[in-house]
Amino acid sequence: MNVLVINAGSSSLKFQLLDVDTREVYAKGNCERIGIDGSFVGYESIASGGKRRLEVALPDHKTAVQHAFDIVKETGKDFVGIGHRVVQGGWYFPESKVVTEESLGWVREVAPLAPLHNYAEADVIETCRELFPEIGNVVVADTSFHYNIPERAHRYALPRDVVDRLHIRKYGAHGTSHRYIWRAAKEFLDDDVHKLVSCHLGSGASLCAITDGRDMDTTMGLTPLDGLIMGTRCGTIDPATVCYLQREGGYSVDEVDTMMNKQSGLLAVSAISSDTRDIEEAATRGDERAAMAIEMFAYRTAQLVCGMAQANEGVDTIAFSAGIGENSPTMRAEVARKLAWLGVRIDDEKNALRVDEVREISAPDSAIRVLVVPTNEEYMIALDVAELLG
Ligand code: AMP
């Protein structure tokens, strides 16, 4: 059963056509720089014979969707529906839902919590409905998996009338990835996993505590700014810093928002780059700020692993995933070293291997199993679409 998955950002639109039964990908691509000069579509499909790059004007998401559909059409494959990754589902999407007039309205209603993403994805959903009224659409929200975490973990200790009126709570993010990581770990370990700490470490990064498939807690909060230090995001800081920056630093609300989301994190600490590849290279050359960026990232990750283990009341498996988690043996080793007091031991040879599949990297005497799990959010989204529309 084939499904088209669409993931729209503020200026990009990723798409993938895949078969949920065989996991074969027939076409995938990314429309980049939408609404900006120098836009293009990079793609690869069973019809293209390798990677292609179309230099085309992409004035809006609608044009991008049309290009994506043209590329998908060339494969000659039909699909049962379209799955849309929605960053913020708010209080309306405790699970994936078929798009109707009403549910499309919900995506827009909760958009102030993720303005860069939700409005774009809502426009894309509307475009898909307009262009292809016969094809069903499904909203798969990144927040769904986290919606049922226990109240003690999702409630903010602010006045009840305020949190109720403004729907303030921990929503988390990367839920689709954490859900996939749980599934893949369970499959790999023949069901022998009960208390998992899932570490999605990419340019955005979050951890999730999962007990027998139930989400117990996660490190992102009302927005994806909370928790771990990220490429350009500061992660958890004393909330009073925000008031202090405005009162004493003279920064406006928007300036603080931009600072914390775009100018902080690994980029700020290393003063080199938001990309761990550049930072690791600089650290090996003896750059002290780069070394501190790695140290802080690993320290905070290890600290949050312990927090998630508490949410699970135990941990039998730790899984590393996403750009850094899948590709940086240095960071994995650093995190594991910091967790050595818990009995975590990794096998250096296994950790150094570069293969794109689920694998165990812990040493035989490790008290906790450590896995590397390449995440696959598109597959998870496609499964939901197949279930709802297949
Ligand atoms: P993601 O957001 O999951 O695509 O992750 C992107 C991030 O992964 C990049 O910004 C890099 O920091 C990191 N990354 C990707 N490849 C490597 C690598 N080989 N070594 C270290 N970090 C990597």
Side-chain angles (χ1 to χ4, degrees):
M1 196 183 299
N2 305 332
V3 172
L4 177 63
V5 175
I6 293 187
N7 178 358
S10 52
S11 64
S12 70
L13 183 138
K14 290 189 194 134
F15 60 94
Q16 188 172 122
L17 177 70
L18 73 159
D19 183 332
V20 289
D21 304 311
T22 63
R23 300 194 185 193
E24 190 175 350
V25 175
Y26 296 124
K28 67 174 181 183
N30 194 2
C31 306
E32 296 193 44
R33 300 181 63 85
I34 298 170
I36 311 172
D37 283 348
S39 55
F40 65 95
V41 185
Y43 72 99
E44 193 171 7
S45 81
I46 51 166
S48 71
K51 288 189 176 157
R52 292 282 171 88
R53 186 180 158 114
L54 282 177
E55 310 280 346
V56 284
L58 299 172
D60 47 36
H61 283 82
K62 188 170 184 172
T63 317
V65 171
Q66 273 164 332
H67 280 291
F69 270 89
D70 288 344
I71 290 162
V72 164
K73 206 168 159 200
E74 280 170 14
T75 65
K77 303 280 182 190
D78 290 332
F79 47 92
V80 292
I82 307 171
H84 296 269
R85 178 197 179 213
V86 168
V87 165
Q88 177 53 265
W91 50 101
Y92 287 118
F93 294 93
E95 69 275 310
S96 301
K97 288 191 172 145
V98 175
V99 172
T100 58
E101 225 30 72
E102 190 180 33
S103 58
L104 181 56
W106 294 336
V107 175
R108 289 217 166 87
E109 191 181 328
V110 301
L113 288 166
L116 290 182
H117 287 94
N118 268 43
Y119 287 121
E121 193 65 65
D123 288 348
V124 166
I125 295 171
E126 201 158 77
T127 301
C128 290
R129 297 179 89 209
E130 240 172 71
L131 294 174
F132 309 97
E134 71 289 355
I135 300 175
N137 292 271
V138 171
V139 167
V140 181
D142 245 10
T143 48
S144 296
F145 189 48
H146 305 306
Y147 196 74
N148 290 314
I149 60 178
E151 183 178 346
R152 61 169 187 253
H154 75 63
R155 176 168 283 282
Y156 279 18
L158 289 166
R160 278 186 181 265
D161 59 324
V162 176
V163 295
D164 289 350
R165 181 165 51 86
L166 293 169
H167 300 282
I168 293 170
R169 56 161 278 170
K170 178 182 277 197
Y171 289 105
H174 297 140
T176 311
S177 175
H178 290 301
R179 193 151 59 100
Y180 176 81
I181 293 164
W182 164 260
R183 197 188 153 94
K186 200 164 172 311
E187 204 174 287
F188 180 76
L189 297 168
D190 288 330
D191 292 343
D192 185 23
V193 50
H194 301 284
K195 293 173 185 287
L196 174 76
V197 174
S198 168
C199 309
H200 177 111
L201 310 179
S203 49
S206 70
L207 278 71
C208 186
I210 306 169
T211 299
D212 290 322
R214 181 176 177 200
D215 190 333
M216 300 304 291
D217 201 353
T218 189
T219 61
M220 283 178 167
L222 175 75
T223 75
L225 185 57
D226 204 2
L228 198 53
I229 299 168
M230 298 169 233
T232 61
R233 287 175 239 169
C234 59
T236 304
I237 53 171
D238 178 348
T241 314
V242 177
C243 311
Y244 187 76
L245 280 167
Q246 290 177 48
R247 224 180 269 130
E248 297 300 321
Y251 295 96
S252 69
V253 173
D254 286 344
E255 283 167 344
V256 174
D257 195 31
T258 304
M259 183 193 298
M260 294 196 304
N261 278 290
K262 303 244 163 76
Q263 301 159 353
S264 299
L266 295 173
L267 172 67
V269 178
S270 70
I272 290 172
S273 167
S274 62
D275 192 314
T276 40
R277 283 166 289 202
D278 304 333
I279 298 170
E280 285 177 12
E281 195 197 297
T284 51
R285 281 190 275 107
D287 187 294
E288 285 178 14
R289 291 190 282 199
M292 181 47 66
I294 295 171
E295 173 67 10
M296 281 172 71
F297 189 89
Y299 169 70
R300 294 275 287 266
T301 305
Q303 205 172 37
L304 291 170
V305 166
C306 295
M308 293 298 104
Q310 177 55 47
N312 272 338
E313 295 184 356
V315 47
D316 53 57
T317 310
I318 298 169
F320 287 104
S321 191
I324 301 170
E326 291 168 32
N327 300 304
S328 174
T330 307
M331 199 64 88
R332 290 193 300 255
E334 213 43 61
V335 174
R337 234 189 308 280
K338 292 187 166 31
L339 293 169
W341 66 275
L342 265 180
V344 173
R345 306 268 182 280
I346 57 165
D347 178 312
D348 291 337
E349 252 173 59
K350 288 182 188 162
N351 184 39
L353 270 183
R354 291 186 186 272
V355 280
D356 191 24
E357 57 192 36
V358 185
R359 61 193 197 279
E360 184 171 346
I361 58 165
S362 36
D365 63 343
S366 183
I368 299 165
R369 223 187 270 113
V370 184
L371 305 181
V372 175
V373 178
T375 192
N376 193 343
E377 288 157 290
E378 288 78 11
Y379 174 67
M380 203 67 239
I381 293 172
L383 274 182
D384 282 1
V385 176
E387 199 179 303
L388 288 167
L389 297 176

